[in-house]
Amino acid sequence: MGSFFPWGSLSLVIFLLLHSMLRLSSCCFVAERAALMDIQSSLGAPDSWGKDGDDCCSWEHVKCNYSTQRVSHLFFSDVCWTTSKVSCFLNSTAFSALPELEYLDLSYCYQYLLSLEGLVGLSKLRYLDLSGAGLGGGFPQFIGEIVSLEVLALNDNNITGGLPGAAVRNLRNLRQLNMSYSSFEGNLPGSLFSLPHLKILDLSANSLGGRIPISSESGPISLEVLDLSSNHLNGSLLVAAFKNIRILKLGGNQFSGSLPVSLFALPHLKFLDLSCNNFVGHFPVSLSSEQVPLEVLNLHDNNMSGALPSERGTE
């Protein structure tokens, strides 16, 4: 009578135990440790890296996934400023050895970031902060290929030209996008307002013109926070699409026309800045008895006239 002992399963268990013991002895994959050392030499990461043993998961600016012990987060904000290196040259191909990387902060490391296309292969990258990274030229097209991104910060750069609708259209997982304080110009792409999960969009302090690309037939968009202040946008406001908006900042543009009553009936709107535009007419008075959720309203430097509505008395 043959044995029923599951030798195959036992071998698998032994293999997994040995693999786990090897992992626990170093707490860091060899290839990932080598990649971090490459980054250390090029970016100016702390000199303590590599001197505290092989456990790169315990190194400063590094966080690993607890269960897999693979590098998942890198925090390099200002690292070029806080080291003694005179200059920092970063080739992003080093990151290709970090397949589990989810969070990468290279903000204000603007000395000489090079060849960022190496980030495209990071299929789990959800958070990318390149604010103040000295990026110039046109919109970095490779970013449109990192389709896993949920949070993207490109603010405080010198990116010029327009926003390519095709690149933006691919980022369908985006929840937050900040491209403020740069040099974007041209019209806003309609695809930007069609991203299904985008909640926060900040394009303030650029040179964007034209109208907000939302038609009267558009259904409600997902945005809850929209900051387009300090641009050259014009036209009238189409309120119907802003059913989910909580914060709306459109100050410092060239919007015109009268304010629609429906703007002050938006169910979630708490902050509204329409200052420094060309709005005209009287302040819209709604006859609705429903309470308006608006808490902050800024209308200074427009061409409006008439009296402001007083608080409705109780009967």
Side-chain angles (χ1 to χ4, degrees), residues 229-258:
S229 56
S230 301
N231 280 283
H232 307 299
L233 299 165
N234 55 55
S236 56
L237 297 181
L238 294 173
V239 179
F242 292 125
K243 297 295 185 183
N244 297 307
I245 207 76
R246 295 185 293 106
I247 299 175
L248 182 59
K249 298 182 178 181
L250 301 177
N253 282 284
Q254 299 167 15
F255 291 106
S256 58
S258 58

Side-chain angles (χ1 to χ4, degrees), residues 19 23 26-33 35-36 55-58 62-74 95-103 124:
H19 181 67
R23 287 257 304 280
S26 63
C27 293
C28 188
F29 284 82
V30 174
E32 297 193 351
R33 184 181 188 279
L36 291 176
D55 185 9
C56 62
C57 293
S58 66
V62 179
K63 178 182 176 181
C64 292
N65 181 290
Y66 178 78
S67 60
T68 65
Q69 291 301 312
R70 287 192 176 275
V71 175
S72 60
H73 293 60
L74 292 176
F95 293 104
S96 62
L98 309 174
E100 301 291 320
L101 190 63
E102 300 177 16
Y103 185 110
K124 296 188 177 181

Side-chain angles (χ1 to χ4, degrees), residues 22-159:
L22 289 173
R23 287 257 304 280
L24 289 173
S25 65
S26 63
C27 293
C28 188
F29 284 82
V30 174
E32 297 193 351
R33 184 181 188 279
L36 291 176
M37 293 304 294
D38 285 344
I39 295 170
Q40 191 270 348
S41 63
S42 61
L43 192 59
D47 292 334
S48 61
W49 280 17
K51 296 181 180 179
D52 297 330
D54 293 333
D55 185 9
C56 62
C57 293
S58 66
W59 292 353
E60 186 179 5
H61 303 296
V62 179
K63 178 182 176 181
C64 292
N65 181 290
Y66 178 78
S67 60
T68 65
Q69 291 301 312
R70 287 192 176 275
V71 175
S72 60
H73 293 60
L74 292 176
F75 309 91
F76 290 144
S77 180
D78 280 333
V79 72
C80 288
W81 286 103
T82 57
T83 64
S84 60
K85 288 179 72 71
V86 175
S87 60
C88 303
F89 297 87
L90 174 64
N91 190 321
S92 63
T93 56
F95 293 104
S96 62
L98 309 174
E100 301 291 320
L101 190 63
E102 300 177 16
Y103 185 110
L104 178 58
D105 185 353
L106 291 170
S107 60
Y108 301 98
C109 227
Y110 66 80
Q111 281 110 321
Y112 324 116
L113 293 180
L114 302 175
S115 185
L116 290 172
E117 288 81 358
L119 301 178
V120 171
L122 299 175
S123 61
K124 296 188 177 181
L125 189 63
R126 297 182 295 105
Y127 181 104
L128 177 60
D129 191 345
L130 296 174
S131 56
L135 300 178
F139 182 86
Q141 296 283 345
F142 74 90
I143 287 180
E145 301 179 48
I146 313 178
V147 296
S148 57
L149 283 176
E150 297 179 10
V151 178
L152 173 61
L154 294 173
N155 52 293
D156 295 321
N157 282 290
N158 191 33
I159 304 174

Side-chain angles (χ1 to χ4, degrees), residues 200-217:
I200 300 175
L201 174 60
D202 189 348
L203 290 171
S204 60
N206 280 282
S207 298
L208 297 164
R211 299 171 178 265
I212 299 177
I214 302 174
S215 69
S216 57
E217 291 80 23

